[in-house]
Amino acid sequence: MHNLMKAGLGLFGAALLVAAGAAGALVWAGQQSLDKDHGALPETLAGGSGDAVLGARLARVYGCSGCHGAALTGADFYGIVAPNLRRRARAWRPEDFARAVRKGLRPDGTSISWAMPSEMFAAMADNEIAAIYAHLRTLPAARDAQPVTLKHRLFKAWAAATGELIPNVVLVRATDAGPTVAPAPGTPQWGPYFTRQACAECHNHGLGGNGGQTPALADVIQIYDWLAFERLTTTGVPLDGRKLRLMGGVGAKRLSHMTAAERRALFDYLKGLPQP
Ligand code: HEC
Ligand code: HEC
């Protein structure tokens, strides 16, 4: 081989090594931040054992099954593994489970990332967390439907290092506290309570919409009458019948599990929102 070519290849190889080293350092730094112990914040859960039937419904309405898999045994959520919740509910005490969902912290003090919307669940009522926990424990133990692969680990560490994966511990406000029992549909507290958990994940805090991705609900509800709203929230088909990208599934798989009282209260609450 020509000497110059050899030298060129050597340089190229060295550049590759430097690049690999830099990427490795980034992944290492990301892993350090993922492994950081933030200390276990105190957490209490009032009210004893939960209502598993209610929990089965809430796991759908609040989207747990949308991200953690229909069977709640884990799924890939845009490259991050949403873990097997049947397993967590068996391994963790009710308080540990509540701290993970509401505060975004695992029992070992590490922070769950914002891929898990704890910010929206931070004020979930004790009776509802206990209900979901009870439901998970009535389901038979099952293996992880989505194991954590090397690709998942590298991607997560890289996303943490580049700041793309924000730790929930910096998002959840310490002042957020849930009620002991969830407010009843139709009461003034219910609308903000319910929509924070069921809609804000995509329609944003205050339901003002998210860029060009989701509409402001105070706006878009104006064109809806009750029958069209009922259809959207049971079948996912909107007013004009077009096929929706994401909201179709939310209507058919999540909101279809609301009670009739919740659906009516949701409609009335959205209609009453001040227009932007
Ligand atoms: C938008 C998707 C999404 C929704 C909705 C969601 N999760 Fe998660 N959840 C995730 C992802 C992704 C992770 C893992 C995040 C990470 O490791 O940083 C996670 C992590 C968790 C963890 C911590 C598990 C562990 O070992 O790290 C618990 C507990 C949990 N979710 C419970 C719930 C419950 C209960 C609900 C419904 C009330 C729910 N999640 C709704 C995506 C979601
Ligand atoms: C997982 C994300 C997600 C959640 C949760 C969600 N939405 Fe949406 N929603 C969307 C998106 C995205 C759109 C825009 C249409 C599309 O692309 O699917 C939308 C559109 C809408 C529309 C307008 C439909 C039309 O006619 O164009 C209404 C009304 C609506 N959402 C109500 C709600 C309500 C009420 C909740 C809570 C109970 C909710 N959404 C929860 C993602 C979501």
Side-chain angles (χ1 to χ4, degrees), residues 37 39-40 92-93 96-97 99-100 105-110:
D37 183 352
W92 295 354
R93 297 172 308 146
D96 296 331
F97 185 76
R99 191 190 296 109
L105 280 174
R106 301 186 186 91
D108 65 2
T110 58

mmCIF file of all heavy atoms in Angstrom, residues 37 39-40 92-93 96-97 99-100 105-110:
data_model
loop_
_atom_site.group_PDB
_atom_site.id
_atom_site.type_symbol
_atom_site.label_atom_id
_atom_site.label_comp_id
_atom_site.label_asym_id
_atom_site.label_seq_id
_atom_site.Cartn_x
_atom_site.Cartn_y
_atom_site.Cartn_z
ATOM 1 N N ASP A 37 -28.379 9.314 42.956
ATOM 2 C CA ASP A 37 -29.329 9.079 44.050
ATOM 3 C C ASP A 37 -29.825 10.423 44.576
ATOM 4 O O ASP A 37 -29.063 11.192 45.150
ATOM 5 C CB ASP A 37 -28.612 8.283 45.153
ATOM 6 C CG ASP A 37 -29.542 7.925 46.310
ATOM 7 O OD1 ASP A 37 -30.691 8.418 46.340
ATOM 8 O OD2 ASP A 37 -29.106 7.160 47.187
ATOM 9 N N GLY A 39 -32.161 10.690 46.812
ATOM 10 C CA GLY A 39 -32.754 10.479 48.124
ATOM 11 C C GLY A 39 -34.232 10.217 47.961
ATOM 12 O O GLY A 39 -34.867 10.769 47.075
ATOM 13 N N ALA A 40 -34.772 9.368 48.815
ATOM 14 C CA ALA A 40 -36.192 9.034 48.686
ATOM 15 C C ALA A 40 -37.035 10.074 49.398
ATOM 16 O O ALA A 40 -36.965 10.213 50.608
ATOM 17 C CB ALA A 40 -36.444 7.644 49.251
ATOM 18 N N TRP A 92 -42.588 -3.493 44.775
ATOM 19 C CA TRP A 92 -42.557 -2.253 45.534
ATOM 20 C C TRP A 92 -43.737 -2.152 46.488
ATOM 21 O O TRP A 92 -44.836 -2.609 46.184
ATOM 22 C CB TRP A 92 -42.592 -1.039 44.579
ATOM 23 C CG TRP A 92 -41.400 -0.907 43.698
ATOM 24 C CD1 TRP A 92 -40.248 -1.662 43.726
ATOM 25 C CD2 TRP A 92 -41.224 0.038 42.626
ATOM 26 N NE1 TRP A 92 -39.382 -1.234 42.756
ATOM 27 C CE2 TRP A 92 -39.947 -0.197 42.060
ATOM 28 C CE3 TRP A 92 -42.015 1.065 42.100
ATOM 29 C CZ2 TRP A 92 -39.448 0.556 40.997
ATOM 30 C CZ3 TRP A 92 -41.518 1.806 41.043
ATOM 31 C CH2 TRP A 92 -40.257 1.553 40.501
ATOM 32 N N ARG A 93 -43.499 -1.493 47.623
ATOM 33 C CA ARG A 93 -44.585 -1.214 48.567
ATOM 34 C C ARG A 93 -45.505 -0.160 47.948
ATOM 35 O O ARG A 93 -45.092 0.589 47.057
ATOM 36 C CB ARG A 93 -44.020 -0.680 49.886
ATOM 37 C CG ARG A 93 -43.125 -1.673 50.628
ATOM 38 C CD ARG A 93 -42.463 -0.974 51.810
ATOM 39 N NE ARG A 93 -41.803 0.261 51.386
ATOM 40 C CZ ARG A 93 -41.701 1.363 52.120
ATOM 41 N NH1 ARG A 93 -42.210 1.396 53.341
ATOM 42 N NH2 ARG A 93 -41.089 2.430 51.657
ATOM 43 N N ASP A 96 -43.901 3.189 47.720
ATOM 44 C CA ASP A 96 -42.857 3.268 46.686
ATOM 45 C C ASP A 96 -43.486 3.481 45.316
ATOM 46 O O ASP A 96 -42.989 4.251 44.492
ATOM 47 C CB ASP A 96 -42.032 1.971 46.645
ATOM 48 C CG ASP A 96 -41.269 1.728 47.930
ATOM 49 O OD1 ASP A 96 -40.912 2.706 48.608
ATOM 50 O OD2 ASP A 96 -41.043 0.550 48.269
ATOM 51 N N PHE A 97 -44.572 2.779 45.087
ATOM 52 C CA PHE A 97 -45.272 2.886 43.809
ATOM 53 C C PHE A 97 -45.835 4.303 43.654
ATOM 54 O O PHE A 97 -45.689 4.937 42.605
ATOM 55 C CB PHE A 97 -46.383 1.834 43.760
ATOM 56 C CG PHE A 97 -47.089 1.770 42.439
ATOM 57 C CD1 PHE A 97 -46.476 1.155 41.346
ATOM 58 C CD2 PHE A 97 -48.351 2.311 42.269
ATOM 59 C CE1 PHE A 97 -47.119 1.093 40.114
ATOM 60 C CE2 PHE A 97 -48.996 2.257 41.042
ATOM 61 C CZ PHE A 97 -48.386 1.645 39.964
ATOM 62 N N ARG A 99 -44.731 7.049 45.073
ATOM 63 C CA ARG A 99 -43.629 7.997 44.894
ATOM 64 C C ARG A 99 -43.134 7.979 43.447
ATOM 65 O O ARG A 99 -42.809 9.010 42.874
ATOM 66 C CB ARG A 99 -42.488 7.679 45.856
ATOM 67 C CG ARG A 99 -41.439 8.779 45.911
ATOM 68 C CD ARG A 99 -40.200 8.370 46.681
ATOM 69 N NE ARG A 99 -40.455 8.104 48.077
ATOM 70 C CZ ARG A 99 -40.430 6.890 48.621
ATOM 71 N NH1 ARG A 99 -40.157 5.827 47.894
ATOM 72 N NH2 ARG A 99 -40.662 6.730 49.901
ATOM 73 N N ALA A 100 -43.106 6.788 42.859
ATOM 74 C CA ALA A 100 -42.661 6.680 41.466
ATOM 75 C C ALA A 100 -43.637 7.395 40.530
ATOM 76 O O ALA A 100 -43.240 8.163 39.669
ATOM 77 C CB ALA A 100 -42.517 5.207 41.074
ATOM 78 N N LEU A 105 -39.704 9.331 41.336
ATOM 79 C CA LEU A 105 -38.501 8.770 41.975
ATOM 80 C C LEU A 105 -38.682 7.284 42.265
ATOM 81 O O LEU A 105 -39.726 6.868 42.772
ATOM 82 C CB LEU A 105 -38.231 9.476 43.304
ATOM 83 C CG LEU A 105 -37.539 10.830 43.260
ATOM 84 C CD1 LEU A 105 -37.500 11.423 44.668
ATOM 85 C CD2 LEU A 105 -36.129 10.705 42.710
ATOM 86 N N ARG A 106 -37.639 6.511 41.957
ATOM 87 C CA ARG A 106 -37.670 5.077 42.273
ATOM 88 C C ARG A 106 -37.257 4.861 43.729
ATOM 89 O O ARG A 106 -36.662 5.761 44.345
ATOM 90 C CB ARG A 106 -36.717 4.311 41.350
ATOM 91 C CG ARG A 106 -37.059 4.472 39.872
ATOM 92 C CD ARG A 106 -36.173 3.574 38.990
ATOM 93 N NE ARG A 106 -36.434 3.869 37.583
ATOM 94 C CZ ARG A 106 -35.763 4.784 36.877
ATOM 95 N NH1 ARG A 106 -34.773 5.463 37.433
ATOM 96 N NH2 ARG A 106 -36.077 5.015 35.623
ATOM 97 N N PRO A 107 -37.538 3.667 44.274
ATOM 98 C CA PRO A 107 -37.160 3.408 45.672
ATOM 99 C C PRO A 107 -35.667 3.590 45.925
ATOM 100 O O PRO A 107 -35.271 3.913 47.045
ATOM 101 C CB PRO A 107 -37.588 1.950 45.895
ATOM 102 C CG PRO A 107 -38.634 1.696 44.872
ATOM 103 C CD PRO A 107 -38.303 2.551 43.686
ATOM 104 N N ASP A 108 -34.803 3.402 44.932
ATOM 105 C CA ASP A 108 -33.359 3.566 45.144
ATOM 106 C C ASP A 108 -32.920 5.026 45.013
ATOM 107 O O ASP A 108 -31.728 5.323 45.029
ATOM 108 C CB ASP A 108 -32.556 2.669 44.187
ATOM 109 C CG ASP A 108 -32.732 3.060 42.719
ATOM 110 O OD1 ASP A 108 -33.447 4.056 42.429
ATOM 111 O OD2 ASP A 108 -32.152 2.368 41.858
ATOM 112 N N GLY A 109 -33.883 5.942 44.858
ATOM 113 C CA GLY A 109 -33.547 7.369 44.823
ATOM 114 C C GLY A 109 -33.210 7.905 43.441
ATOM 115 O O GLY A 109 -33.001 9.105 43.283
ATOM 116 N N THR A 110 -33.149 7.021 42.426
ATOM 117 C CA THR A 110 -32.873 7.518 41.066
ATOM 118 C C THR A 110 -34.153 8.128 40.492
ATOM 119 O O THR A 110 -35.261 7.746 40.866
ATOM 120 C CB THR A 110 -32.356 6.399 40.134
ATOM 121 O OG1 THR A 110 -33.331 5.349 40.096
ATOM 122 C CG2 THR A 110 -31.017 5.863 40.611
#
